[in-house]
Amino acid sequence: MNTAIRRGLATSGSVCSGAIFEYQNSFLNDLHLEDMGIFSAYDRQNKSPEKLEELREFGRSL
């Protein structure tokens, strides 16, 4: 099975909601991919070294 990885960095609920809808319908449902979870960053987390390292660590674990 193919695997899709969604890691969204959004700054507002409306942006995140739209991205989640597209992801679920275009990627997961249409292409039958596996959902691997969500990474999100808000406010000060955006572009923070800690969040970047968290994302890199996840990538290394794949």
Side-chain angles (χ1 to χ4, degrees):
M1 173 181 280
N2 290 324
T3 302
I5 302 170
R6 173 180 51 133
R7 301 292 174 252
L9 299 177
T11 57
S12 72
S14 62
V15 171
C16 190
S17 297
I20 290 171
F21 177 83
E22 286 299 320
Y23 172 73
Q24 290 173 334
N25 289 286
S26 298
F27 289 96
L28 299 181
N29 293 337
D30 294 346
L31 299 175
H32 308 287
L33 302 176
E34 181 180 351
D35 186 350
M36 298 298 291
I38 299 171
F39 270 107
S40 59
Y42 300 96
D43 298 323
R44 293 184 181 168
Q45 291 179 332
N46 282 311
K47 299 183 181 181
S48 73
E50 296 82 13
K51 184 55 76 171
L52 180 58
E53 182 56 32
E54 183 181 351
L55 292 168
R56 286 183 174 153
E57 186 62 34
F58 175 78
R60 287 189 286 268
S61 74
L62 297 177

